[in-house]
Amino acid sequence: MGRIILTIAGPWADAPALDAGPLDVEFGPAESGLAEEMADLARQNGTFEADELKALRKHTGVLFVSADFDGPGETTVASAAARFMRDAFAAGALGAYVETAVKVFSPRTASHLAADDATTLFHVFIEVYGEPGRVITEGMQAFDLPDIEVPYRRPDEAGAAQAAAFALAARMVCDGVRPAAGHPFRASESAPLFRVEAAPAEPMPEDPDEQAFFNPRGRWRLSLVTPA
């Protein structure tokens, strides 16, 4: 099952009149701690300017946006969500939190989203994270697709692992690539060769709040066959 979850903060006393399309939208008052959580996520890449953060901390209303759907590789729901985000910024939104990818956007970075462009949608709804010993994607459920996991053993393999995770995820979303167990994969002609495997199934989290972010499609794992 595919899923998208957005939280959008704005200067509203009432919900702005926006076309939600296939999305479920609820409106509520300011959320204690939301601005600081978004600010913490934004610090690593400077998403918010100082004046944008100041305005975000004064938000008065929040739009809670979500969608559940079935359709591997489907982009229409992500397009609707990106369009809704863009329209929300046009209506004065102060910040958007793509919770299923754990990434945030400011008015400056998302007010002119190309909502029907697959590459743009990939960058909005997918994030690639490095962890000790592996690189993983988060957010592929925005397209009802499995996430990607690339383990590595040595620090000098981390760059190739990140490139492989990014490249395969992007090709799945943007080019319709559908890997299968046993398939070979290279991020480029000169990149290391990986083999696609099904990663062991992860258990459903016991915490109901964490279950909302669980990807039921699981993960593809890329295992290194030859170094660069």
Side-chain angles (χ1 to χ4, degrees), residues 7 14 47 55 75 106-108 137 139 156 175 187 191 209:
T7 302
D14 300 294
T47 302
T75 62
S106 69
R108 175 177 52 87
T137 65
D156 63 345
D175 301 327
D209 291 335

Short mmCIF file of all heavy atoms in Angstrom, two decimals, residues 7 14 47 55 75 106-108 137 139 156 175 187 191 209:
data_model
loop_
_atom_site.label_atom_id
_atom_site.label_comp_id
_atom_site.label_asym_id
_atom_site.label_seq_id
_atom_site.Cartn_x
_atom_site.Cartn_y
_atom_site.Cartn_z
N THR A 7 2.57 17.49 6.82
CA THR A 7 2.09 18.43 7.82
C THR A 7 2.52 19.81 7.38
O THR A 7 3.72 20.05 7.16
CB THR A 7 2.67 18.10 9.21
OG1 THR A 7 2.32 16.76 9.56
CG2 THR A 7 2.11 19.05 10.26
N ASP A 14 -8.45 29.48 10.11
CA ASP A 14 -9.33 28.47 9.53
C ASP A 14 -8.62 27.85 8.34
O ASP A 14 -7.69 28.44 7.77
CB ASP A 14 -10.66 29.08 9.08
CG ASP A 14 -11.43 29.72 10.22
OD1 ASP A 14 -11.86 28.98 11.12
OD2 ASP A 14 -11.56 30.96 10.22
N THR A 47 17.55 24.75 4.87
CA THR A 47 16.28 24.87 4.16
C THR A 47 15.58 26.18 4.46
O THR A 47 14.98 26.80 3.57
CB THR A 47 15.36 23.70 4.54
OG1 THR A 47 16.01 22.47 4.22
CG2 THR A 47 14.04 23.78 3.79
N ALA A 55 9.00 33.30 11.20
CA ALA A 55 7.58 33.25 10.84
C ALA A 55 6.98 31.89 11.15
O ALA A 55 5.85 31.79 11.65
CB ALA A 55 7.41 33.59 9.36
N THR A 75 2.05 7.73 -9.74
CA THR A 75 2.56 9.07 -9.41
C THR A 75 1.45 10.10 -9.22
O THR A 75 1.74 11.22 -8.81
CB THR A 75 3.51 9.58 -10.51
OG1 THR A 75 2.79 9.69 -11.75
CG2 THR A 75 4.72 8.66 -10.68
N SER A 106 10.59 24.98 2.81
CA SER A 106 10.22 26.35 3.16
C SER A 106 9.49 26.98 1.98
O SER A 106 9.49 26.43 0.86
CB SER A 106 11.49 27.15 3.47
OG SER A 106 12.25 27.34 2.28
N PRO A 107 8.88 28.15 2.18
CA PRO A 107 8.26 28.83 1.04
C PRO A 107 9.24 29.06 -0.10
O PRO A 107 8.89 28.94 -1.28
CB PRO A 107 7.78 30.15 1.65
CG PRO A 107 7.56 29.84 3.09
CD PRO A 107 8.64 28.85 3.45
N ARG A 108 10.49 29.35 0.25
CA ARG A 108 11.51 29.62 -0.78
C ARG A 108 11.83 28.38 -1.60
O ARG A 108 12.13 28.48 -2.79
CB ARG A 108 12.78 30.14 -0.09
CG ARG A 108 13.97 30.37 -0.98
CD ARG A 108 15.13 30.97 -0.18
NE ARG A 108 15.41 30.17 1.01
CZ ARG A 108 16.24 29.12 1.02
NH1 ARG A 108 16.86 28.74 -0.09
NH2 ARG A 108 16.45 28.45 2.14
N THR A 137 16.90 4.36 1.67
CA THR A 137 15.95 5.38 1.25
C THR A 137 14.77 5.38 2.21
O THR A 137 14.47 4.38 2.86
CB THR A 137 15.42 5.13 -0.17
OG1 THR A 137 14.66 3.91 -0.20
CG2 THR A 137 16.55 5.04 -1.17
N GLY A 139 10.63 6.89 2.11
CA GLY A 139 9.58 7.59 1.40
C GLY A 139 9.11 6.95 0.11
O GLY A 139 8.23 7.49 -0.55
N ASP A 156 35.28 3.62 2.69
CA ASP A 156 35.47 4.04 1.30
C ASP A 156 34.43 3.47 0.35
O ASP A 156 34.40 3.80 -0.84
CB ASP A 156 36.88 3.69 0.82
CG ASP A 156 37.15 2.18 0.81
OD1 ASP A 156 36.37 1.43 1.44
OD2 ASP A 156 38.14 1.77 0.18
N ASP A 175 11.71 6.20 -14.22
CA ASP A 175 11.83 5.45 -15.47
C ASP A 175 11.02 4.16 -15.48
O ASP A 175 11.06 3.42 -16.47
CB ASP A 175 13.30 5.11 -15.74
CG ASP A 175 14.17 6.35 -15.83
OD1 ASP A 175 13.68 7.39 -16.31
OD2 ASP A 175 15.34 6.29 -15.42
N ALA A 187 25.08 1.87 -10.85
CA ALA A 187 24.61 3.24 -10.91
C ALA A 187 25.08 3.94 -12.19
O ALA A 187 24.43 4.85 -12.69
CB ALA A 187 25.08 4.02 -9.69
N ALA A 191 30.62 2.38 -12.29
CA ALA A 191 30.33 2.15 -10.87
C ALA A 191 30.45 0.67 -10.52
O ALA A 191 30.44 -0.20 -11.40
CB ALA A 191 28.91 2.64 -10.56
N ASP A 209 1.77 5.14 16.15
CA ASP A 209 2.28 6.32 15.45
C ASP A 209 3.38 5.95 14.46
O ASP A 209 3.49 6.54 13.38
CB ASP A 209 2.82 7.34 16.47
CG ASP A 209 1.71 7.97 17.29
OD1 ASP A 209 0.57 8.01 16.82
OD2 ASP A 209 2.00 8.42 18.42
#
